[in-house]
Amino acid sequence: MSASATAQGPAAHGTVVKAAFAMAMLADRALAQVKPADAVVAGRLFGANATLQTLFVQADDLIRQGVKADRGLAAVYLAALALGFPDDAQAAARRSPLHRIVTGREGGTEQPQAGLASRRAYDPPMGAVVGGFRPSARRWWVAVGGVAALFLLVSHLLWSTAVNDLQRDLRGARSAVEDMGQSWSY
C-alpha cells in the first residue's frame, strides 16, 4: 500500500501511513487480548513512536481539520477507536467528532444530537409499513384501571351469589326464633 501511494504523491503516502498506523494499533489491541506477546505489530512497523497517544494525536489532527479532513482516513480512525478501544474514555471523546467528519456534518464543531449515531438510524427498514401506533403510558393506566374495575365487579357478583344462600338461611332462622317468642340478639 505504501509503495503504490508513494507514486501518487506525498499526501497520499502520508494518508496511507496514518491509516496503516491506526490499523496496526487496532491489531495490537486485538492481539493483546488473545496473546499479549504477539502484540508488537505497531512497534515493528513504526518503531518506538507507535504509542496509543500518537493515535489520539493523529485523530485530534483530523478533528481540527474539520470539513477539510480526509473522510476515508477519518473512517479508518473511527473504526479503529470504536473496535479496539470501546471502553477507553479518550477514544470515546474522539469518536463523535470523527463520525461527524465521516458523515459530512459541520466539521466537528456541533454537539452530538442526543446520542444519535446517524441521521438514518431511526428510519424504518426497507419495505416496512409505517404505522401510527405508538405505545403510551395512558393506555397502560386505562388498561390497569379497567382490569381493576372488572376484578371488583366479578368478585362482588361472586360474593353476592355465594352469600345469598347463607343470608336466606339466616333470615329463616331469625324468623323461626322470633316466632318462638325469643329475641334474636343477645
Side-chain angles (χ1 to χ4, degrees):
M1 286 187 334
S2 180
S4 65
T6 303
Q8 295 178 6
H13 182 262
T15 300
V16 168
V17 169
K18 288 178 182 179
F21 178 75
M23 290 185 278
M25 291 302 292
L26 177 60
D28 278 353
R29 185 62 171 228
L31 288 171
Q33 294 174 358
V34 180
K35 290 176 99 179
D38 291 342
V40 293
V41 175
R44 286 186 182 165
L45 292 175
F46 297 99
N49 294 331
T51 64
L52 183 59
Q53 193 57 38
T54 305
L55 181 71
F56 293 147
V57 168
Q58 290 177 356
D60 289 339
D61 288 342
L62 280 172
I63 293 167
R64 273 195 279 313
Q65 292 174 13
V67 292
K68 297 176 185 173
D70 182 358
R71 281 179 149 177
L73 185 58
V76 171
Y77 273 80
L78 177 61
L81 293 176
L83 294 172
F85 310 93
D87 298 329
D88 190 304
Q90 291 186 31
R94 289 165 175 87
R95 282 195 291 265
S96 183
L98 285 171
H99 183 267
R100 284 192 294 273
I101 291 170
V102 170
T103 59
R105 285 194 258 155
E106 303 300 316
T109 58
E110 67 183 23
Q111 293 295 323
Q113 298 175 354
L116 187 63
S118 172
R119 291 179 184 173
R120 295 180 43 202
Y122 293 108
D123 287 350
M126 295 291 274
V129 177
V130 181
F133 177 74
R134 292 198 169 107
S136 70
R138 183 173 182 243
R139 291 182 182 174
W140 282 104
W141 284 113
V142 168
V144 168
V147 167
L150 183 64
F151 171 77
L152 290 173
L153 177 68
V154 169
S155 63
H156 176 70
L157 292 175
L158 288 173
W159 179 257
S160 296
T161 305
V163 174
N164 193 22
D165 293 338
L166 182 59
Q167 285 179 344
R168 189 184 67 234
D169 291 343
L170 284 174
R171 278 192 298 269
R174 181 178 186 167
S175 66
V177 168
E178 288 175 349
D179 287 344
M180 292 172 36
Q182 296 179 353
S183 172
W184 176 254
S185 60
Y186 294 101

